[in-house]
Amino acid sequence: QMTANVLGRVNESGYYYIKASSAITKGQVIMFTGAVGASGVPTGAPATGITDGSYIMGIAAENIALNGFGLIRFIGTLRGVDTSAYADGDILWYNPAVTGGLTKTKPSAPNVKVQMAAVISATNNGTILIRVTPGSELGGTDSNVQFSTLTNGDLIQYDSALQYWKNVTAAS
């Protein structure tokens, strides 16, 4: 028993233990919001306004009151969530239009695209398989891309001397 509300299966699940910087409901997508001083405990809240998928931590494994402590699952099976709006096998994404929300519709650019889970059992007391997979951002984590300030109409050009892709103006 991980907490009073979460049963952990050995070697099947991964969790973050966090302090809630906003009230959290089981099944919501949670984003990293900081840390509790030098304690090493991260803080989190229902995801909203995310422009960088690396801030997504996982899905709340339990309800957590404001300033309370609880578990966020980043890999494994989460039972007891309402998946009745989906079908078995649906892939769920972070929903940028709903705070802490999930959607089966892949978000479109320029929204961040973070694949969150797969539906195992689509019921009002359903089950999802969590496997957070943040999408990439061109130039965000690529070791062979180096962008300066982007402006409208920029092009991407490979520089063989520097051995990376860079942005250039159309006129250049």
Side-chain angles (χ1 to χ4, degrees), residues 8 12 45 73 80 86 88 102-103 106 109 116-117 151 161 165:
E12 290 184 16
R73 187 168 287 171
Y86 311 113
D88 290 357
L102 293 165
T103 180
K106 184 177 182 177
M116 296 300 301
T151 60
W165 293 90

Side-chain angles (χ1 to χ4, degrees), residues 22 109 134:
S22 290

Side-chain angles (χ1 to χ4, degrees), residues 21-142:
S21 55
S22 290
I24 294 171
T25 302
K26 180 178 180 177
Q28 284 187 308
V29 176
I30 304 303
M31 66 181 188
F32 173 77
T33 59
V36 180
S39 70
V41 176
T43 60
T48 185
I50 297 287
T51 58
D52 180 346
S54 61
Y55 281 90
I56 301 281
M57 298 178 77
I59 297 177
E62 60 187 328
N63 295 332
I64 309 170
L66 171 63
N67 294 319
F69 291 86
L71 296 170
I72 305 306
R73 187 168 287 171
F74 61 86
I75 192 165
T77 305
L78 181 61
R79 293 168 175 79
V81 292
D82 185 359
T83 55
S84 60
Y86 311 113
D88 290 357
D90 279 349
I91 301 299
L92 302 181
W93 299 82
Y94 159 62
N95 186 343
V98 177
T99 299
L102 293 165
T103 180
K104 68 179 183 178
T105 304
K106 184 177 182 177
S108 59
N111 293 305
V112 66
K113 299 172 187 177
V114 181
Q115 191 180 98
M116 296 300 301
V119 177
I120 294 174
S121 173
T123 68
N124 62 354
N125 191 28
T127 304
I128 56 176
L129 173 62
I130 299 170
R131 51 186 195 194
V132 180
T133 310
S136 64
E137 177 184 328
L138 184 60
T141 57
D142 306 299

